[in-house]
């Protein structure tokens, strides 16, 4: 039996593999990657590598074995039909008879277009009859803290979320939840709504940045249309800018507040505070 992680060299996947290495022998972990060279550090530590691509179904033939536990990390190629990509993995997992397939989805409360592929993938997974776990990941601190340069340069946090709040957590927290499911028992056919312990708003985020940098940083709330324009001006493709601006509209409606407590319960500790993520980003 292997624990198999797809997208293993992505931001979330790396955290998952690193944390798995703290809990299980390396030879029990298989990292699914598109480019072996990006996973050379994992291979050097004894992790098995499997080269496969969501866009090439035959690369998943024979990749899984009966009894494996699989983490399907959702793809990030919004323009390539993510539901079909995910179906490739689910079909291969079903053919092999894996013991569990966990999928990184989006909160059940999220109605933004970003959630459409996740809802459709959940339907495919449930229809497959595989034992499943839905890890409905909320927003990541890093969605904001990894893009601090323009904020610091202009002295402003610019979003289209009004006074809406976000229950975000660190990528490492969501990874820890996935590891708990992959290495634990009793998670079959379960849905977890995952989010940070503390919901926060962007005015508070701007205030925290001001406090930690000593600079005056304001929160400028703009319209969804204006925000989409800012994102395309920064080089994002129009469709992706529209999707991200749509998430802000959902934040204003409270759709990214996750109050289930599932994340801290699964990981057995409080989630990482936003202030801590800001500190780490400013040091980095």
């Amino acid at each position: 039996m292997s624990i198999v992680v797809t997208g293993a060299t992505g931001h979330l996947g790396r955290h998952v593999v690193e944390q798995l290495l703290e809990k299980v022998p390396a030879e029990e972990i298989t990292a699914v990657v598109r480019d072996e060279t990006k996973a050379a550090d994992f291979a050097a530590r004894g992790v098995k590598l499997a080269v496969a691509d969501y866009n090439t179904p035959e690369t998943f033939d024979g990749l899984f074995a009966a009894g494996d536990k699989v983490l399907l990390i959702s793809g990030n190629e919004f323009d390539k039909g993510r539901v079909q990509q995910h179906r490739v993995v689910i079909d291969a997992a079903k053919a092999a008879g894996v013991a569990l397939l966990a999928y990184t989805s989006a909160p059940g409360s999220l109605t933004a277009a970003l959630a459409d592929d996740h809802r459709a993938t959940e339907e495919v997974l449930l229809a497959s009859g595989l034992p499943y776990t839905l890890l409905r990941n909320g927003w990541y601190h890093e969605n904001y803290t990894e893009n601090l340069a323009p904020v610091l340069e202009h002295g402003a946090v610019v979003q289209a979320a009004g006074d809406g709040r976000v229950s975000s957590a660190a990528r490492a927290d969501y990874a820890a939840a996935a590891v708990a499911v992959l290495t634990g028992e009793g998670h079959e056919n379960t849905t977890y709504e995952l989010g940070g312990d503390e919901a926060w708003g962007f005015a508070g985020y701007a205030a925290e940045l001001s406090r930690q940098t000593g600079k005056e940083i304001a929160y400028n709330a703009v319209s969804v249309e204006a925000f989409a324009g800012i994102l395309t001006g920064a080089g994002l493709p129009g469709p992706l800018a529209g999707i991200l601006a749509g998430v802000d509209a959902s934040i204003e409606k409270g759709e990214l507040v996750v109050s289930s407590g599932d994340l801290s319960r699964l990981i057995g500790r409080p989630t990482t505070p936003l202030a801590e993520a800001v500190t780490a980003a400013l040091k980095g």
Side-chain angles (χ1 to χ4, degrees), residues 141-142 145 148 169-170 212 272-283:
H141 293 331
E142 289 88 350
T145 60
L148 285 180
Q212 292 202 31
T272 306
L274 177 65
E276 206 172 292
V278 169
T279 303
L282 291 172
K283 277 183 188 162

Side-chain angles (χ1 to χ4, degrees), residues 70-71 99-106 119 122 125-126 129-137 177-178 180-182 184-194 260 262-263 265-266:
V70 178
L71 176 64
L100 182 73
L101 192 144
Y103 171 65
T104 61
S105 192
R119 294 290 94 82
E122 289 183 6
L125 179 52
L126 268 59
L130 280 169
Y132 67 87
T133 306
L134 299 181
L135 297 164
R136 286 181 169 169
N137 288 357
V181 164
L182 294 167
E185 299 297 332
H187 300 289
E188 292 83 4
N189 306 329
T190 303
T191 299
Y192 294 111
E193 297 286 349
L194 303 176
S260 65
D262 284 352
L263 182 52
R265 270 197 300 277
L266 267 179

Side-chain angles (χ1 to χ4, degrees), residues 7-278:
T9 53
H11 289 308
L12 182 63
R14 279 203 160 272
H15 278 292
V16 172
V17 175
E18 288 286 353
Q19 292 186 38
L20 280 171
L21 282 164
E22 296 171 11
K23 295 221 167 174
V24 298
E27 60 269 19
E28 291 180 15
I29 305 167
T30 299
V32 182
V33 299
R34 283 190 293 196
D35 181 351
E36 275 186 292
T37 60
K38 289 185 179 174
D41 55 326
F42 289 153
R45 292 158 74 181
V47 173
K48 289 184 285 192
L49 302 185
V51 179
D53 188 322
Y54 294 156
N55 300 305
T56 315
E58 59 270 20
T59 59
F60 280 91
D61 291 348
L63 196 155
F64 304 119
D68 283 353
K69 288 184 175 180
V70 178
L71 176 64
L72 169 53
I73 294 180
S74 56
N76 60 4
E77 297 175 311
F78 293 91
D79 57 336
K80 292 200 177 166
R82 292 199 298 168
V83 181
Q84 184 52 41
Q85 290 182 331
H86 300 156
R87 188 189 296 272
V88 164
V89 180
I90 292 166
D91 287 350
K94 182 177 182 180
V98 306
L100 182 73
L101 192 144
Y103 171 65
T104 61
S105 192
S109 53
L110 186 64
T111 64
L114 180 75
D116 293 349
D117 288 350
H118 292 300
R119 294 290 94 82
T121 299
E122 289 183 6
E123 289 176 15
V124 172
L125 179 52
L126 268 59
S128 74
L130 280 169
Y132 67 87
T133 306
L134 299 181
L135 297 164
R136 286 181 169 169
N137 288 357
W139 225 218
Y140 300 161
H141 293 331
E142 289 88 350
N143 291 344
Y144 304 107
T145 60
E146 284 183 352
N147 300 297
L148 285 180
V151 173
L152 300 178
E153 182 186 340
H154 299 292
V157 172
V158 181
Q159 300 286 153
D163 295 326
R165 298 170 77 74
V166 184
S167 304
S168 64
R171 276 203 195 97
D173 295 337
Y174 294 108
V179 169
V181 164
L182 294 167
T183 60
E185 299 297 332
H187 300 289
E188 292 83 4
N189 306 329
T190 303
T191 299
Y192 294 111
E193 297 286 349
L194 303 176
D197 297 335
E198 298 288 334
W200 53 271
F202 287 98
Y205 175 53
E208 182 61 33
L209 287 170
S210 299
R211 187 181 73 78
Q212 292 202 31
T213 62
K215 298 177 182 173
E216 190 58 44
I217 295 173
Y219 169 40
N220 292 349
V222 298
S223 70
V224 170
E225 295 73 22
F227 189 51
I230 289 166
L231 293 174
T232 52
L236 284 189
L240 181 57
I243 286 171
L244 293 178
V247 170
D248 267 25
S250 284
I251 289 172
E252 183 164 23
K253 291 186 274 187
E255 294 179 6
L256 275 176
V257 173
V258 179
S259 54
S260 65
D262 284 352
L263 182 52
S264 52
R265 270 197 300 277
L266 267 179
I267 66 180
R269 59 169 172 79
T271 60
T272 306
L274 177 65
E276 206 172 292
V278 169

